[in-house]
Amino acid sequence: MAQAKVAEAWKNYPLQTKLKGTAYTLRPMTVDDGERLRSFALELPPHDLLFMRRDITKPEGLARWTDAVARGAMYTILCEDEHGVAGYSSLHLTELDWSRHVADLRVATADRARGAGLGRLLTREAFNMALALGIEKVVARMTPDQQGARALFQELGFQPEALLKDEVKDRDGEYHDLLIMACNVDTFLAQRRAFGVSG
């Protein structure tokens, strides 16, 4: 049943949009998009890489990502502009029976695409996919110093749930706290409808 709903949701793509004068195309990621995604990751600031579940700048991390997409353990929406991948949103599903209603959300945008509302758009599309998958709760993770990301998620209805001390270790060996925020899917969609935003 879930797969039928996912197939129905994918029919909405590719999605063409324009933000602040730049044309973007959103579409589901396939296993053939690995190198496109890796090129995107290589251009990200090192701090942004902390929040990817896999280091996709490395072949082994990229292989695990595409394998998860192929298995249906992860659903990724790519956003492309004329230069290549400009951003993505991913829902990571869990195999734990008692947490199948929860998905982990990751959103990233290229420097050139920031400030245009692309993060909001990618988050909205991820929630539409969560609805198709029957997901009830979406969790996002970031460091407390990512004020822009935190403000965006709070604006979208996410609330802080936990702060984990020294949970993340970067490539320079520095430790960072990890902020966990979460949002109920129905709450997110109801809030968007209240503001007259469809989709």
Side-chain angles (χ1 to χ4, degrees), residues 126-138:
F127 268 86
N128 288 339
M129 180 53 59
L131 187 65
L133 289 165
I135 297 298
E136 299 171 22
K137 180 179 179 180
V138 173

Side-chain angles (χ1 to χ4, degrees), residues 33-176:
D33 289 316
E35 281 307 314
R36 292 183 188 87
L37 194 62
R38 182 169 181 267
S39 296
F40 164 78
L42 287 169
E43 295 179 0
L44 288 175
H47 198 66
D48 288 11
L49 298 174
L50 295 176
F51 309 100
M52 293 184 178
R53 290 171 63 106
R54 301 162 180 87
D55 184 354
I56 58 172
T57 64
K58 298 178 179 177
E60 57 270 24
L62 190 63
R64 288 197 298 272
W65 186 304
T66 54
D67 176 66
V69 168
R71 291 186 293 109
M74 178 170 65
Y75 292 84
T76 299
I77 297 168
L78 293 183
C79 178
E80 296 173 305
D81 61 14
E82 62 180 350
H83 304 291
V85 175
Y88 75 85
S89 58
S90 276
L91 282 177
H92 304 260
L93 309 184
T94 178
E95 295 180 5
L96 300 174
D97 287 342
W98 49 86
S99 296
R100 290 186 182 275
H101 64 295
V102 180
D104 201 20
L105 171 67
R106 296 289 196 278
V107 179
T109 58
D111 272 342
R112 67 180 183 275
R114 294 180 184 179
L118 186 57
R120 285 178 181 81
L121 176 60
L122 286 165
T123 301
R124 182 198 74 187
E125 294 304 308
F127 268 86
N128 288 339
M129 180 53 59
L131 187 65
L133 289 165
I135 297 298
E136 299 171 22
K137 180 179 179 180
V138 173
V139 176
R141 302 162 194 263
M142 66 207 72
T143 56
D145 63 349
Q146 286 194 301
Q147 295 297 328
R150 183 173 182 172
L152 168 62
F153 281 112
Q154 284 182 317
E155 178 186 322
L156 294 172
F158 282 75
Q159 296 297 321
E161 289 204 337
L163 181 65
L164 306 180
K165 295 289 291 181
D166 297 335
E167 182 74 6
V168 178
K169 188 175 182 180
D170 65 26
R171 294 178 177 186
D172 296 323
E174 297 292 325
Y175 292 93
H176 302 269

